[in-house]
Amino acid sequence: MASKAHAALAALRADLAGEVFAPGDPGYDGARVVFNAMADPHPAVIARCAGVTDVVRAVRFARDLDLHIAVRGGGQGLAGAVVDGALVVDLRRMHEVTVDPAAEAVRIGGGTTMSLLDRATRPHGLVAAVGGTPGTGVAGFVLGGAPGWLDRAFGPAVDGLIGVELVTADAERVHANADENPELFWALHGGGGNFGVATALTLELHELPRFAVALVRYRPECGPAAVRAFREVIDTGPDEVGGAALCLSGQPTPVCGALLTYAGGEEELRGLAEPLMRLPHETQSCGTGALGLLYPPGGMRAHCSAQCLAGLPDAAVDAFLARAAQLPAPGSSRLMLLPLGGAVASAAADHPLPYRRAPWIVHPFACWADPSGDGQALTWVREADAGMDPWSTGAVCLDLIGDEGPERVRDGLGAGNLLRLEKVKRRWDPDNVFRFNHNIEPV
Ligand SMILES: Cc1cc2nc3c(=O)[nH]c(=O)nc-3n(C[C@H](O)[C@H](O)[C@H](O)COP(=O)(O)OP(=O)(O)OC[C@H]3O[C@@H](n4cnc5c(N)ncnc54)[C@H](O)[C@@H]3O)c2cc1C
């Protein structure tokens, strides 16, 4: 067996246009690093694929050696894209972006990050309704049904999915779209990396000639008024307004903030943000800011969770702020309230994304450097989540959580969708080769 594995690895090294890293190789340690420093994975082999032929070759290699397959895009997932003992299909080199301005569509490679997508589409006055940070992988984000900053205006990015090019567990190349493999296409709207390696995605683009961001920071004692004012702006404002009410860890006390994103001009946003700016605040800015700045840098320890809320009455605001007052410090932790509604709720789609019916999501995100802070951070995330239980819809957005067990996967995909998803899984990955994700088991 060992000699078979050695021969197969030698053949993989020879065949791949990209690079292969095995333990002991120069570059192996660098290639296994992901965003979350709590993860210290030692995969069997990392295949950094240069194109779809490499992906087919890497999947065949894994199947021949009975290895499970992990898929790495941007490396920001908290459910494991680089895993002990697995074959990692590393897509970072597959980041080509082709914009079709006339069709208002873009085709991206499976390893494309948000910054590359944005850089390619913005000159055309077009955007995909994505989010995350500049380094977030687009495919992981979209296929996991993640919510982004423009969702209230355009709907979640996954609603704009036109087609997916996939390499399956049998190393077959298939297309999934409304006409070809429609059941697989449906499952890919939230089912993430369960069905194969997405080597390319085609996404709908939206015209966005102007985009503005306002950020107001408050002292903690102003939190109750600030969060209530944010809620009012969202409740009474147009669908083009989104953002987050957030509390960030700071020394000596946490900082509260209101972030407004707006699919429109700066002047209009200033008007909409007026109830927030009227409150006593420490700093304010309004312009075409970079949202990535709100996120912590990679290389820190991270843990997060999320909970969908049926509403945000005053008691829920108070519970949110009580947890915010206990934000772990030092570090870059944050507790966020993300508004949904608008085009998220109004879409007629029947995708396996039950979170879309909730008006709010609470999202604790702990980020710290010192391993001795693990206990405090993990407890805080768990308690911040549980503290909002009285208002929970029971649904969860899976892209915002790590591995929280099969019940949470069911909550994220919808109990009513699970059997249908399990059947799709059985058709395309009966051996559950793609299991390092929010896993759907084949029936
Ligand atoms: C700093 C930070 C900011 C974030 N911001 C947001 C946000 O604003 N909104 C939000 O909803 N989420 C956000 N997230 C969560 C993030 O969007 C998801 O975890 C997303 O899945 C990460 O994708 P990735 O490719 O970067 O991660 P990876 O860890 O590389 O991949 C995550 C999983 O996605 C699957 N996957 C990735 N690429 C492919 C592919 N091409 N084919 C098949 N499967 C694939 C795999 O199953 C993999 O395990 C954030 C996370 C971090 C760490």
Side-chain angles (χ1 to χ4, degrees):
M1 181 60 194
S3 66
K4 179 185 172 191
H6 277 118
L9 183 60
L12 186 71
R13 290 187 198 278
D15 287 357
L16 232 62
E19 298 95 48
V20 174
F21 303 99
D25 286 350
Y28 173 79
D29 281 332
R32 66 189 183 85
V33 172
V34 289
F35 174 88
N36 186 359
M38 279 186 96
D40 182 24
H42 288 79
V45 178
I46 300 170
R48 185 167 294 160
C49 299
V52 64
T53 313
D54 278 3
V55 176
V56 169
R57 185 70 191 79
V59 171
R60 280 206 188 114
F61 167 86
R63 298 311 308 267
D64 287 348
L65 294 181
D66 281 332
L67 294 171
H68 297 306
I69 301 172
V71 184
R72 186 209 159 100
Q76 288 193 355
L78 294 159
V82 181
V83 180
D84 285 349
L87 175 278
V88 175
V89 175
D90 180 339
L91 295 165
R92 277 179 280 184
R93 281 184 62 172
M94 295 174 59
H95 54 66
E96 58 288 335
V97 182
T98 312
V99 182
D100 182 343
E104 299 199 341
V106 62
R107 181 179 178 279
I108 58 143
T112 304
T113 54
M114 294 298 174
S115 59
L116 295 172
L117 172 63
D118 197 50
R119 208 178 298 161
T121 62
R122 279 289 182 102
H124 302 281
L126 297 168
V127 291
V130 287
T133 74
T136 305
V138 179
F141 183 97
V142 173
L143 301 179
W149 299 116
L150 295 165
D151 288 11
R152 282 171 43 84
F154 299 131
V158 73
D159 285 359
L161 197 55
I162 296 171
V164 184
E165 295 160 48
L166 216 63
V167 172
T168 66
D170 286 340
E172 263 181 73
R173 294 176 63 173
V174 301
H175 284 233
N177 54 47
D179 302 315
E180 274 180 280
N181 299 306
E183 194 65 0
L184 173 60
F185 187 53
W186 170 82
L188 285 163
H189 287 77
N194 265 287
F195 311 103
V197 183
T199 54
L201 262 56
T202 304
L203 291 170
E204 187 187 344
L205 294 173
H206 306 272
E207 289 179 25
L208 187 72
R210 292 176 307 159
F211 177 65
V213 179
L215 179 62
V216 192
R217 284 177 188 253
Y218 307 91
R219 294 182 59 78
E221 56 270 26
C222 212
V227 178
R228 284 165 171 79
F230 180 79
R231 179 183 63 188
E232 187 196 326
V233 170
I234 294 295
D235 285 350
T236 58
D239 290 349
E240 285 74 17
V241 181
L246 66 165
C247 295
L248 309 169
S249 49
Q251 298 290 354
T253 50
V255 178
C256 285
L259 168 78
L260 286 183
T261 56
Y262 183 54
E266 195 179 315
E267 277 316 305
E268 291 154 77
L269 178 58
R270 268 185 207 287
L272 290 162
E274 201 273 328
L276 289 161
M277 297 196 176
R278 191 167 60 211
L279 294 172
H281 55 269
E282 299 230 289
T283 62
Q284 66 166 66
S285 61
C286 187
T288 51
L291 293 173
L293 294 177
L294 276 176
Y295 282 95
M300 293 182 77
R301 305 172 81 75
H303 185 64
C304 63
S305 189
Q307 182 98 278
C308 289
L309 307 180
L312 193 63
D314 284 349
V317 172
D318 294 342
F320 168 83
L321 289 165
R323 295 303 172 194
Q326 294 159 1
L327 268 158
S332 303
S333 300
R334 64 256 358 257
L335 184 59
M336 293 187 266
L337 273 170
L338 307 168
L340 298 176
V344 183
S346 61
D350 75 335
H351 306 143
L353 289 175
Y355 85 79
R356 71 158 79 234
R357 303 292 167 222
W360 293 91
I361 296 180
V362 66
H363 180 34
F365 191 128
C367 206
W368 68 105
D370 189 338
S372 68
D374 288 5
Q376 185 201 11
L378 269 55
T379 302
W380 175 77
V381 169
R382 193 174 54 247
E383 290 182 350
D385 211 30
M388 303 305 281
D389 274 350
W391 301 278
S392 172
T393 66
V396 64
C397 172
L398 291 177
D399 241 31
L400 295 174
I401 69 171
D403 181 1
E404 297 188 9
E407 283 187 15
R408 288 284 268 172
V409 173
R410 189 200 57 206
D411 294 343
L413 296 168
N417 294 314
L418 208 55
L419 182 59
R420 188 173 167 191
L421 287 162
E422 288 166 350
K423 286 181 179 168
V424 180
K425 178 76 173 180
R426 183 180 61 195
R427 162 71 182 86
W428 295 101
D429 183 16
D431 300 321
N432 203 4
V433 173
F434 297 105
R435 61 178 59 193
F436 304 117
N437 42 45
H438 294 294
N439 195 230
I440 300 163
E441 294 210 20
V443 278

